[in-house]
Amino acid sequence: GAGVSQSPRYKVAKRGQDVALRCDPISGHVSLFWYQQALGQGPEFLTYFQNEAQLDKSGLPSDRFFAERPEGSVSTLKIQRTQQEDSAVYLCASSHRDRGRTEAFFGQGTRLTVV
Amino acid sequence: SQELEQSPQSLIVQEGKNLTINCTSSKTLYGLYWYKQKYGEGLIFLMMLQKGGEEKSHEKITAKLDEKKQQSSLHITASQPSHAGIYLCGADSPGDKIIFGKGTRLHILP
């Protein structure tokens, strides 16, 4: 595709509900990143994939957060038993970072509100 | 762990004025990225700097990386309303991820 696509753009979840956020990276991009951005803050790293391999998940805040990229393309970030502190914008980015330092391209984000 | 500090946190300037945003790293920078974010939207890539002393320009925006590679600045000349938004600096961090500062919120007064 022309850019990184994320869906849904907005999600309202009741506390305790499970949610799944989708990311379609730019075609051919090997690397995929998930970030969490709280209101008024910079993006915080959550996890990183190279193809289907999850190489770094050090930023996932708890075991309620789970990410996958089974075929090395589309990725899903799942949050189980959502809590109010999970309310944030979730950003996905992709890049050719296997070819050395290069910029990452970001999607529009999914704004999650837990009520 | 590496941390990026941006200053100022917020900036209000009159249209047509010049402005500078700074980004300081706690460790040597091996890749420094500037992004712009419109409120409620994703990040738009502006520029990447890698070498000490490097300077890049695009339209009215110039970014520099100092010789010691621990500080970068973003300069906007003759600011316009379209420049308003949040400017984020990011840096390459071990493990191939990019870490970000908290951002500088720029408002342009007509």
Side-chain angles (χ1 to χ4, degrees), chain A residues 9 33 35 37 40-43 45 48 50 56 58 91 97 101-108 111, chain B residues 30-31 33 35 37 40-43 45 48 50 88 92 94-102 105:
Chain A
R9 282 293 311 276
F33 307 83
Y35 287 84
Q37 187 175 25
Q41 301 295 314
F45 170 80
Y48 160 60
Q50 192 170 97
D56 187 342
S58 62
L91 296 164
R97 287 178 75 80
R101 293 192 172 85
T102 183
E103 67 272 24
F105 295 89
F106 282 78
Q108 295 281 65
R111 181 178 297 276
Chain B
Y30 292 102
Y33 306 84
Y35 284 85
Q37 185 177 31
E41 298 184 9
L43 280 63
F45 171 74
M48 175 177 69
Q50 289 185 281
L88 291 153
D92 281 327
D96 282 342
K97 59 181 175 277
I98 301 175
I99 61 164
F100 288 92
K102 293 187 176 182
R105 281 141 193 83

Side-chain angles (χ1 to χ4, degrees), chain B residues 23-55:
Chain B
C23 175
T24 302
S25 174
S26 57
K27 297 183 179 181
T28 300
L29 294 161
Y30 292 102
L32 187 285
Y33 306 84
W34 282 101
Y35 284 85
K36 179 184 175 185
Q37 185 177 31
K38 287 284 193 182
Y39 296 103
E41 298 184 9
L43 280 63
I44 299 168
F45 171 74
L46 296 176
M47 278 173 274
M48 175 177 69
L49 304 167
Q50 289 185 281
K51 301 175 184 176
E54 187 175 7
E55 180 176 318

Side-chain angles (χ1 to χ4, degrees), chain A residues 17-65:
Chain A
Q17 185 179 354
D18 296 350
V19 298
L21 313 180
R22 177 188 169 104
C23 173
D24 278 273
I26 292 173
S27 179
H29 277 189
V30 169
S31 299
L32 185 145
F33 307 83
W34 283 99
Y35 287 84
Q36 180 190 60
Q37 187 175 25
L39 189 64
Q41 301 295 314
E44 294 283 344
F45 170 80
L46 292 177
T47 187
Y48 160 60
F49 289 86
Q50 192 170 97
N51 295 307
E52 69 278 4
Q54 189 174 20
L55 299 186
D56 187 342
K57 54 182 181 179
S58 62
L60 296 176
S62 77
D63 58 7
R64 296 186 295 104
F65 286 71

